[in-house]
């Protein structure tokens, strides 16, 4: 909707930033987005793990990003993060990289980017 222009992803620039070949980078990104699109198209819940960043939880019509505290601290610095947490306590809803991703989602798929790992999480009767 609207007049939004879509700019194609520059795989060579991404590849340089992560020190990988552009072919491997393109295959990884396209494979991951294809798998994510497939899961969402089938109406599956998805926990999309962005390594070193956090977890994007997509459950039904609810989408929630849970950042790793360490990531936020690296982005803004410890003092700025403490100030932000005081003003916006919802930022405390972070997650640890050691947290089992299966515990964050009702049920569905766990996709870990940039690695191609797929895990099916059984439905929990209690949630």
């Amino acid at each position: 909707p609207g007049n939004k222009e879509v700019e194609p992803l520059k795989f060579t620039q991404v590849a340089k930033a992560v020190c990988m070949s552009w072919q491997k980078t393109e295959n990884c990104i396209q494979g991951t987005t294809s798998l994510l699109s497939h899961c969402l198209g089938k109406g599956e819940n998805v926990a999309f793990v962005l390594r070193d960043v956090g977890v994007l939880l997509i459950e039904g019509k609810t989408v929630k990003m849970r950042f790793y505290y360490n990531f936020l601290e690296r982005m803004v610095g410890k003092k700025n993060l403490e100030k932000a947490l005081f003003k916006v306590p919802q930022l405390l809803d972070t997650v640890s990289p050691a947290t089992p991703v299966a515990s964050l989602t009702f049920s569905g798929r766990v996709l870990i980017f940039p690695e191609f790992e797929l895990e099916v999480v059984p439905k929990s009767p209690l949630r």
Side-chain angles (χ1 to χ4, degrees):
N3 294 327
K4 297 178 183 176
E5 290 187 35
V6 177
E7 187 175 325
L9 183 62
K10 295 176 176 68
F11 293 107
T12 52
Q13 289 179 346
V14 175
K16 285 179 185 177
V18 296
C19 300
M20 297 185 82
S21 72
W22 70 267
Q23 295 97 338
K24 189 169 185 172
T25 302
E26 182 176 8
N27 288 340
C28 181
I29 292 171
Q30 287 183 343
T32 302
T33 54
S34 176
L35 181 57
L36 181 61
S37 175
H38 173 77
C39 292
L40 295 176
K42 290 177 65 177
E44 295 180 11
N45 295 331
V46 177
F48 187 52
V49 180
L50 298 163
R51 209 173 279 284
D52 300 327
V53 175
V55 181
L56 178 65
L57 297 167
I58 305 168
E59 295 182 324
K61 294 182 179 183
T62 303
V63 178
K64 184 177 188 178
M65 184 69 198
R66 306 253 330 251
F67 290 101
Y68 295 139
Y69 186 89
N70 294 354
F71 169 76
L72 294 175
E73 191 175 75
R74 281 193 317 269
M75 290 293 104
V76 298
K78 188 170 185 140
K79 288 190 180 210
N80 287 336
L81 182 56
E82 288 171 357
K83 289 177 189 175
L85 289 173
F86 182 73
K87 292 179 181 176
V88 186
Q90 296 88 341
L91 285 175
L92 282 173
D93 192 15
T94 60
V95 64
S96 161
T99 304
V101 177
S103 70
L104 301 175
T105 182
F106 292 121
S107 66
R109 305 236 182 217
V110 176
L111 307 177
I112 301 175
F113 186 81
E115 295 178 14
F116 232 81
E117 296 177 29
L118 178 62
E119 178 184 335
V120 177
V121 179
K123 287 187 177 186
S124 170
L126 300 176
R127 287 184 107 179

